[in-house]
Amino acid sequence: MQLTGIAQVGTLGFDTIIDVRSPSEFAEDHIPGAINLPVLNDVERAEVGTIYKQVSPFDARKIGAALVARNAAAHLLGPLADKPGGWRPLVYCWRGGQRSGSFATILRQVGWRAELVDGGYKTWRRLVVEAVAASVLPPVVVLDGNTGAAKTAILQAAAAQGAQVIDLEGLANHRGSIFGGMPGGQPSQKAFEGRLAQALAALDPGRVLLLEAESSRIGDLNLPKGIWAAICAAPRVQLQVAAPERAAYLARAYADVAADPAQLAALIDKLRRLHAAEVIAQWQDWAAAGDLAALAQDLMIRHYDPRYEKHRARHVQHGVTLPVQSLAPEALPDLAARVVGAAEALVTR
């Protein structure tokens, strides 16, 4: 079976997509919705590869075939034991060759209508790379504002109202600052790009796309060139929010970080190379005392706001400014509607 586009994956019609690669390969990235039934685990895959190089391809294939047969039997007696006769799986490995071909042959002998992905995972990866490198089709407007302006929350509220939004920080599972780690950690770069490719494939090119102002990295992940170019070139709706209101919002939004005093202290320590010892000491005192609003406001004034301004100075800015009085949870839906209206006005000028 040929994969010809990112959006096609959601319409394939197979009962199960099976990735037979090793667990580490699957963990790094896989076709969305696939389950992992490895025919060689990580140790076995390394063993077969060593035999291939140091002994002979024939011996490697012989030992590999035995391992594949044993692992396939375990899958048949385990996770596949309850599959009915009409079950229709789609199977792939790295290139769509020996591992997936061997497993598909066994499944077909059982009587299931197993098919292979032509080119395997490499086909999916090629489609992803092409998608995230391409120009973004819809007109893009960027939501900007200094740290604590609730940009992500506003975009989420806009999406709930029907606006076209890609939450880059959500896809990256990171809030975009040294304090921005999220439970579960970040996906791999390849998996992040796959998520982004799917989001891009679902867009309506005739509608405005709202994105959050980001640097070229979110945590440990790089923004692909297509979306980064769109962010740099797009007009902006800039939120103008007083520092005390932003600090209060951050104290609420980062309560999970503050709930672990040792983690918070360790994160503050990462800023030592950038600030004087007495500044770090004051931040640590506020953290220890639980004065999150004071900590957040001083971090913004001394650390984040100057860096935002320096970053903005490197790009041509055009757009509108929205004064914001409140970032209280009940104010966000109305604020999101204002942002959407301003964004639509920018692209129709």
Side-chain angles (χ1 to χ4, degrees), residues 221-244:
L221 301 176
N222 296 311
L223 288 183
K225 66 180 183 180
I227 204 83
W228 176 238
I231 288 173
C232 291
R236 300 190 170 215
V237 176
Q238 182 156 344
L239 303 171
Q240 190 175 65
V241 192

Side-chain angles (χ1 to χ4, degrees), residues 143 149-161 165 210 239 241 249 324 326-327 331-333 335-337 339-340:
L143 180 60
K151 298 183 293 293
T152 300
I154 292 166
L155 285 184
Q156 290 170 345
Q161 295 170 9
V165 172
L210 279 170
L239 303 171
V241 192
Y249 172 79
V324 177
S326 173
L327 294 175
L332 294 184
L335 182 51
V339 166
V340 171

Side-chain angles (χ1 to χ4, degrees), residues 131-310:
V132 299
S135 298
V136 178
L137 294 179
V140 174
V141 174
V142 168
L143 180 60
D144 200 355
N146 285 353
T147 296
K151 298 183 293 293
T152 300
I154 292 166
L155 285 184
Q156 290 170 345
Q161 295 170 9
Q164 184 161 252
V165 172
I166 292 180
D167 180 1
L168 294 170
E169 293 186 359
L171 296 179
N173 200 39
H174 198 279
R175 289 171 287 200
S177 75
I178 198 169
F179 300 94
M182 298 284 285
Q186 294 192 265
S188 70
Q189 180 70 33
K190 289 180 179 179
F192 169 62
E193 291 173 3
R195 295 177 182 181
L196 177 58
Q198 283 191 290
L200 291 168
L203 294 175
D204 180 346
R207 299 178 62 210
V208 174
L209 170 63
L210 279 170
L211 297 173
E212 182 172 344
E214 303 284 358
S215 66
S216 60
R217 288 175 65 84
I218 303 177
D220 293 329
L221 301 176
N222 296 311
L223 288 183
K225 66 180 183 180
I227 204 83
W228 176 238
I231 288 173
C232 291
R236 300 190 170 215
V237 176
Q238 182 156 344
L239 303 171
Q240 190 175 65
V241 192
E245 184 66 19
R246 290 189 285 131
Y249 172 79
L250 287 175
R252 296 192 301 271
Y254 284 77
D256 59 324
V257 177
D260 185 341
Q263 179 194 21
L264 180 57
L267 292 171
I268 292 172
D269 271 343
K270 291 184 177 182
L271 299 173
R272 285 190 180 279
R273 63 185 179 84
L274 300 172
H275 296 280
E278 58 269 23
V279 172
I280 299 294
Q282 177 63 80
W283 290 346
Q284 293 286 19
D285 287 345
W286 278 324
D291 194 345
L292 302 183
L295 172 62
Q297 183 160 327
D298 208 58
L299 274 166
M300 290 187 307
I301 292 170
R302 293 180 183 271
H303 183 75
Y304 286 107
D305 287 0
R307 282 160 177 78
Y308 264 70
E309 294 306 322
K310 184 177 180 180

Side-chain angles (χ1 to χ4, degrees), residues 41 54 68 80 112 200 233 290 305 343:
N41 64 34
Q54 296 182 1
V68 167
L80 304 183
W112 290 316
L200 291 168
D305 287 0

